[in-house]
Amino acid sequence: MIFILTGAGISQESGLSTFRGPDGLWEGEPVEAVATPEGFRRAPARVHAFYNGLRCRLASGTVVPNAAHYALAELMEKAQEEVILVTQNIDDLHERAGAKNVLHMHGELLKAYCTRCECAMPWASDTSTASCCAVCGREGFLRPHIVWFGEMPLYLEEIDDALSQCRLFVSIGTSGVVQPAAAFVARAKQQGALTLELNLEPSATASIFDKGIYGKASAMVPAWVESLFSIT
Ligand code: OAD
């Protein structure tokens, strides 16, 4: 099994900002204001508006999958072994490139979550403090389906199961500073997987990887996928 972990760097060339830019802002907003439960409690309308803006950009046609997303979708389709794709990204660029069964461990921009009935649901339009849940019908309980700082990421059981079996672990476009994703490489390596990092620069966990290749995802990922097919 091949385990692929992606982060914001893979979507950077598609027009989405990464998280740890030099100004400490994410898409122009302080991270603690728009990516924490406290920020949402304090100013829910501001947080709804922020994710509405991102959702709108995703749908606008200016943000589209790049060559790295397409290469991973091709790998998943053609590989002779199971490939699991876990992403920290909330965009749908992997799916739009054709990838199936992507595990969004930090949630999805195109879903909403009802804190009353605890259901996640597809959601393509704006959310607000007055939105009604599509499942229980109650108003005022909907929030973006995003895992914020301090909250538990999704699919951790499936992820740990895959980490315990993979023969190759590949991390793409992630800084390696956010847990638990930052610890996946050590877990995979501990059980004998070969580990590879593809990133613009060495990540915080670069020294743990067996190999690192540095550059832009849109060039490196297709080249790596091609090399995999020419070897196996
Ligand atoms: P970061 O912004 O922390 O890191 C992005 C990484 O991508 C950096 O190491 C960049 O060097 C690299 N990068 C930038 N452009 C690239 C390119 N064109 N090609 C390849 N690499 C490039 O983003 P993540 O590691 O994904 O969590 O952040 C992890 C989590 O922190 C996010 O999912 C989010 C955030 O807070 C939540 O919202 C819960």
Side-chain angles (χ1 to χ4, degrees):
M1 177 194 287
I2 301 176
F3 188 117
I4 296 169
L5 172 70
T6 65
I10 196 167
S11 295
Q12 187 270 334
E13 292 165 84
S14 293
L16 293 173
S17 305
T18 57
F19 294 92
R20 291 177 176 77
D23 49 11
L25 298 176
W26 177 31
E27 296 280 346
E29 292 278 359
V31 171
E32 62 280 7
V34 294
T36 62
E38 296 73 29
F40 186 58
R41 268 196 296 276
R42 216 176 300 128
R46 177 186 186 175
V47 175
H48 280 297
F50 175 75
Y51 291 98
N52 289 342
L54 279 184
R55 202 178 293 113
C56 192
R57 276 196 35 222
L58 258 194
S60 69
T62 55
V63 175
V64 290
N66 65 58
H69 297 103
Y70 285 110
L72 292 185
E74 188 190 356
L75 171 65
M76 292 179 89
E77 194 192 323
K78 296 191 180 156
Q80 302 292 310
E81 63 190 304
E82 191 180 348
V83 180
I84 179 165
L85 176 52
V86 175
T87 187
Q88 298 167 89
N89 299 343
I90 58 173
D91 64 60
D92 64 341
L93 296 177
H94 283 305
E95 286 88 349
R96 276 157 62 186
K100 307 258 182 336
N101 305 320
V102 181
L103 297 184
H104 286 267
M105 64 180 290
H106 289 164
E108 291 172 69
L109 203 45
L110 293 177
K111 284 185 180 170
Y113 180 77
C114 176
T115 55
R116 184 170 178 273
C117 71
E118 301 185 344
C119 284
M121 62 210 80
W123 203 278
S125 56
D126 285 358
T127 55
S128 76
T129 52
S131 294
C132 287
C133 171
V135 179
C136 72
R138 290 287 295 265
E139 182 183 318
F141 293 93
L142 226 54
R143 56 167 271 184
H145 182 54
I146 308 296
V147 176
W148 289 321
F149 283 99
E151 296 183 323
M152 187 68 89
L154 308 169
Y155 307 111
L156 291 183
E157 255 180 53
E158 291 97 318
I159 289 171
D160 192 63
D161 195 44
L163 286 171
S164 71
Q165 299 176 42
C166 65
R167 71 161 183 94
L168 177 60
F169 174 88
V170 187
S171 171
I172 303 170
T174 177
S175 57
V177 299
V178 173
Q179 296 294 355
F184 291 172
V185 57
R187 170 87 173 98
K189 198 169 170 171
Q190 174 200 28
Q191 63 78 25
L194 196 69
T195 56
L196 169 67
E197 161 165 283
L198 303 173
N199 204 39
L200 194 59
E201 64 210 347
S203 71
T205 51
S207 61
I208 304 175
F209 285 87
D210 297 305
K211 189 175 176 192
I213 305 175
Y214 300 105
K216 291 197 165 190
S218 66
M220 285 186 303
V221 178
W224 168 68
V225 169
E226 203 183 312
S227 73
L228 210 58
F229 284 130
S230 60
I231 293 166
T232 54

